Amino acid sequence: MTTPLRTALIGVGTAGRVFHGPLLATDPDYAVTVVSTADPDRAGQATAAHPDAVVVPTPDDALARAVDLDLVIIGTPPHTHADLAHRAIDAGLAVVVDKPFTVTSVEGREVIEHARAAGVPLTVHQNRRWDADFLTLRELLAHGRLGTVHRFESRFEWWKPVPPDTWKGRLGPEQGGGILFDLGTHLIDQAVQLFGPVEGLSAETDVRRAGGGADDDTFVVLEHTSGVRSHLWMSSVAAQPGPRFRVLGSRAGYVSWELDGQEAALKEGLVPTDPDWGLTPPDRWGTLGVPGALEPVPAARGDYGAFYRLLSAALRSGGPLPVDPADSLHVIELIERLRRSAAAA
């Protein structure tokens, strides 16, 4: 294949509008040819962002054009993911599912088996694997700069005391709502990628905001077989957020603050082709060392575009997919165990 991959973008909320659309629009290996949204305002935004695309009101309308497509990206609410993925697979199209992959592990296994049996490529958009801070930490671990790690602390915390008037503010956990399914999907995936399989686990899940439909303040403990213990915080009601990473080892610790800047840049209208894309200013670098001997660590360059470069290579030449869906299924399995742990506490 030498022509752009003809792509349907199903859903243009935050996922489709911010995390997928701009990356596709600036990658010559892709052409957004169909966009599905029932919202008139979002339809107008989609037309402006993808002027060569046909904007249709429903996923059915998008999948009816399967003969003119190579790839479907599913950026709709979580409880719709499994059904839409099955339908895209039936249409013979490669599939990207936004996180969380599915609401239940049973659904996830069925989607993976369906794709395998049909010979259709399937992957999940775990874009936080290409955060600058995560890439930096992975390099430090690969070079043994911290020694033997025993504690990994990771946070996505912010101050949003009023639930949003979107599906994220309305759906319950049985439909994939709540911060454990949302931000926890990233935090757990990163922890497992860094420190491996999980033996024991526990969770505290709370609903702090009035009118909230699901957990918005959650703490997770993962006990890895490697000996590392991960403490993961995710909260919408953190009046003073803690460090993004705090990692403790036998030789040194590593602490970083602030979030990777790519999401904010995308929301501001910047794109990955900008020369400073993914760069973290020195005043936001993390520090490595021990008390009295700390040094700033230059941040690796964040690179959300890598997901789609890897996907293009996989679809064109048979290389590995950017994310193995089995990884994302495992995250859902861990979330199910964590929810049972929290309910039993």
Side-chain angles (χ1 to χ4, degrees), residues 240-331:
Q240 292 198 30
R244 173 67 186 92
F245 286 138
R246 180 173 178 259
V247 193
L248 304 178
S250 60
R251 291 180 54 190
Y254 174 72
V255 178
S256 67
W257 295 79
E258 308 293 338
L259 296 173
D260 174 275
Q262 293 176 90
E263 177 179 354
L266 288 166
K267 288 179 175 177
E268 291 171 5
L270 302 178
V271 291
T273 52
D274 293 329
D276 292 335
W277 181 265
L279 295 179
T280 302
D283 62 356
R284 293 180 55 194
W285 290 351
T287 56
L288 174 74
V290 297
L294 298 177
E295 60 176 294
V297 178
R301 189 166 195 156
D303 190 11
Y304 286 171
F307 178 91
Y308 280 108
R309 294 196 303 275
L310 290 168
L311 178 60
S312 174
L315 298 182
R316 294 176 188 278
S317 61
L321 290 162
V323 175
D324 185 337
D327 292 348
S328 297
L329 170 61
H330 182 53
V331 170

Side-chain angles (χ1 to χ4, degrees), residues 130-144:
W130 291 275
D131 276 357
D133 48 16
F134 177 76
L135 296 173
T136 304
L137 176 56
R138 193 171 66 179
E139 289 181 7
L140 292 173
L141 295 172
H143 291 91

Side-chain angles (χ1 to χ4, degrees), residues 5-190:
L5 294 161
R6 301 166 299 171
T7 302
L9 186 55
I10 298 181
V12 284
T14 299
R17 187 178 67 256
V18 175
F19 289 109
H20 296 287
L23 302 180
L24 295 165
T26 53
D27 189 327
D29 280 349
Y30 297 88
V32 177
T33 55
V34 179
V35 177
S36 167
T37 178
D39 184 288
D41 291 337
R42 290 180 179 178
Q45 294 168 357
T47 297
H50 310 287
D52 295 327
V54 175
V55 180
V56 297
T58 70
D60 286 339
D61 295 317
L63 293 173
R65 298 171 176 267
V67 68
D68 298 318
L69 295 170
D70 305 299
L71 171 68
V72 170
I73 297 167
I74 299 170
T76 52
H79 64 288
T80 67
H81 287 181
D83 177 63
L84 289 172
H86 282 300
R87 291 160 64 189
I89 293 166
D90 284 336
L93 300 172
V95 185
V96 174
V97 182
D98 206 76
K99 63 82 203 168
F101 175 33
T102 54
V103 174
T104 70
S105 59
V106 171
E107 287 181 339
R109 280 189 289 272
E110 290 173 347
V111 171
I112 290 173
E113 176 55 28
H114 188 184
R116 186 203 64 76
V120 169
L122 167 72
T123 189
V124 181
H125 191 240
Q126 300 279 176
N127 63 305
R128 295 290 181 175
R129 293 188 184 187
W130 291 275
D131 276 357
D133 48 16
F134 177 76
L135 296 173
T136 304
L137 176 56
R138 193 171 66 179
E139 289 181 7
L140 292 173
L141 295 172
H143 291 91
R145 299 286 301 278
L146 284 82
T148 301
V149 173
H150 59 267
R151 174 69 57 80
F152 173 57
E153 299 178 5
S154 178
R155 293 171 174 85
F156 280 145
E157 297 180 320
W158 38 67
W159 178 241
K160 297 180 180 179
V162 178
D165 187 24
T166 66
W167 66 262
K168 288 190 176 184
R170 293 190 293 266
L171 295 186
E174 69 283 351
Q175 294 181 300
I179 206 164
L180 180 57
F181 268 117
D182 185 16
L183 302 180
T185 307
H186 289 309
L187 294 174
I188 295 168
D189 180 70
Q190 288 185 336

